[in-house]
Amino acid sequence: MSTEPKKTEPQSGEDRVIHEVDGIQEYDNQLPNWWLATLFITVVFGVGYFYVYHQAQLTDLPNAAFQKESERQAAEEAKRTGVVTSAALLSLSRDGTKVSEGKATFESTCAACHRADGGGNIGPNLTDGFWLHGGSPENIYTTISKGVADKGMAAWGPQLGSDRVQAVTAYILTLRGTNVAGGKAPQGTAEN
Ligand code: HEC
C-alpha cells in the first residue's frame, strides 16, 4: 500500500496556464462538454423562445392562451345554459365570422341612429370610451336586448333573438375605443 499523499494537482500541467492571485493558483481547465452543451442549448432555446413568442408571435404567451381558453369555455357554457357572460361575449368578439354577422346586423338595423361606423347620430357614439349604460360586454348586451324605451332605443332582444344580439355585441366590442373621426361627443361615464 502506498503511503504517498493524494495529489490534488494534475501530473502534467505544463500546457495549462496558471493564474495566481493573492497566492491562489488556478489552472485554465477546459469546461466539461456536458456543461458547454447545456449552455449552448440554453442559448439556442432562449433565442428560439424570443423569436416564437415575441418577434414572430407565432403563438400566444401562456397567459393569453389561458385567457382565450377560459373565454372559449365560457362561450360553450353560455351556449349550453343560455346565460350570456362577458367572457363569452369577449370570445365572440375574436371570432371573425360572428363579428361580420354582427356588422351586417349593425349596418342594417342600428346604423340609422348610431352611424354606419358607430360614430353616433341620434344614438350615442359607440367607438369612444364613454357609456351611458355601462361598457362591459354584459352591459352592452343587456342594453341592446332590453333597450332604453324612454330614450328611443328599442329592445332588440325580442326582434333579433339572443344569437344576433350576441353577434352585434361582439361587433360593438371591436369598435370600443377606436374613436372614429367626426364621432358624436362623449356621453356618460369614461370606462375604457
Ligand atoms: C331609433 C334609433 C336607434 C336605433 C335604431 C338603435 N339605437 Fe341604440 N341607442 C339609441 C339611443 C337614443 C341611445 C341612448 C339611450 C339613452 O340616452 O339612454 C342608444 C343607446 C345604445 C347603446 C348604449 C350606449 C351607451 O352609451 O351605453 C348601445 C350599446 C346601442 N344603443 C346599440 C344599438 C344596437 C346594437 C342597435 C341595433 C340593433 C341600436 N342601438 C339601434 C338609438 C337607437
Side-chain angles (χ1 to χ4, degrees):
M1 229 177 73
S2 155
T3 50
E4 287 246 313
K6 254 194 187 164
K7 287 217 157 69
T8 51
E9 285 179 14
Q11 293 299 297
S12 59
E14 295 87 352
D15 55 336
R16 297 171 178 175
V17 182
I18 299 174
H19 301 278
E20 184 175 339
V21 179
D22 292 341
I24 298 168
Q25 285 190 342
E26 221 177 38
Y27 288 101
D28 254 359
N29 286 331
Q30 286 274 326
L31 287 161
N33 283 339
W34 66 263
W35 194 95
L36 283 172
T38 312
L39 172 71
F40 293 137
I41 290 168
T42 312
V43 170
V44 169
F45 179 83
V47 171
Y49 186 95
F50 184 81
Y51 178 78
V52 168
Y53 283 105
H54 296 283
Q55 193 69 34
Q57 301 188 344
L58 298 178
T59 182
D60 289 322
L61 280 164
N63 270 352
F66 175 74
Q67 197 182 344
K68 267 195 192 161
E69 178 58 21
S70 314
E71 285 168 6
R72 197 190 59 74
Q73 286 182 9
E76 260 174 22
E77 182 75 3
K79 240 188 200 154
R80 211 167 49 75
T81 59
V83 179
V84 180
T85 61
S86 279
L89 292 164
L90 273 178
S91 167
L92 292 184
S93 76
R94 301 212 177 87
D95 174 343
T97 324
K98 272 284 164 206
V99 169
S100 39
E101 268 175 53
K103 185 171 193 242
T105 305
F106 189 85
E107 281 167 358
S108 64
T109 317
C110 324
C113 294
H114 291 282
R115 222 168 79 174
D117 63 3
N121 182 8
I122 297 165
N125 188 339
L126 302 175
T127 71
D128 59 18
F130 292 79
W131 299 89
L132 290 163
H133 302 284
S136 79
E138 253 181 292
N139 289 152
I140 296 173
Y141 174 81
T142 306
T143 312
I144 301 170
S145 301
K146 307 217 161 113
V148 190
D150 53 341
K151 297 281 172 58
M153 165 77 181
W156 296 100
Q159 299 190 46
L160 299 175
S162 177
D163 267 8
R164 273 199 282 173
V165 175
Q166 286 180 48
V168 85
T169 305
Y171 174 60
I172 290 174
L173 291 176
T174 68
L175 300 179
R176 272 193 316 181
T178 56
N179 294 303
V180 295
K184 206 176 168 187
Q187 292 165 272
T189 322
E191 284 194 34
N192 42 52

